[in-house]
Amino acid sequence: MIAEYFLMGVIAPSFLNLMHLVVGIYVVVARGNIMSLGFTGIGFVTKSMGMIFFTWLGIEIVGLDFRIYVPILSFVWFFSHIAEAFVINHYMQKNVPNWLQRLQIK
């Protein structure tokens, strides 16, 4: 039973967010910062759908106790988003042209 909570509450959302992170890094590097902001906006919708899907799957199909499962899922989901934000921000800052960096007041 503990393995199901770990699989559905930690591994599944982490894997989904890792796939989104890889695509997000690709979008920043290949398409630029503006396109990345658009992808981040669309990612909010798709990640919300994933959260709802994993909640439904865990509670209705797998039969996990929502009082245990939903906090685990929410905790992992939230902190993976924080980590993703820092990683994408790092790549966005590396993608700024030098002439624009010289214009900024430091």
Side-chain angles (χ1 to χ4, degrees):
M1 193 64 159
I2 293 175
E4 291 171 344
Y5 284 103
F6 185 72
L7 177 66
M8 293 296 300
V10 177
I11 300 297
S14 297
F15 183 70
L16 185 63
N17 285 328
L18 181 63
M19 290 190 316
H20 189 270
L21 176 65
V22 169
V23 173
I25 291 172
Y26 168 76
V27 170
V28 169
V29 172
R31 302 298 302 254
N33 291 352
I34 300 297
M35 192 67 81
S36 173
L37 292 175
F39 177 76
T40 302
I42 297 298
F44 173 76
V45 174
T46 58
K47 287 181 179 182
S48 297
M49 291 177 2
M51 178 81 162
I52 292 169
F53 173 74
F54 280 138
T55 303
W56 170 79
L57 185 67
I59 294 170
E60 291 294 323
I61 304 301
V62 180
L64 301 175
D65 185 5
F66 72 92
R67 294 170 293 185
I68 300 170
Y69 175 62
V70 172
I72 292 171
L73 180 65
S74 300
F75 179 82
V76 170
W77 205 270
F78 176 74
F79 280 103
S80 67
H81 281 75
I82 298 296
E84 180 182 353
F86 282 112
V87 171
I88 293 294
N89 186 31
H90 168 75
Y91 281 97
M92 287 179 81
Q93 288 178 355
K94 283 178 52 177
N95 206 22
V96 175
N98 288 335
W99 64 269
L100 186 58
Q101 288 179 359
R102 287 191 303 268
L103 290 175
Q104 295 176 351
I105 298 173
K106 296 183 181 182

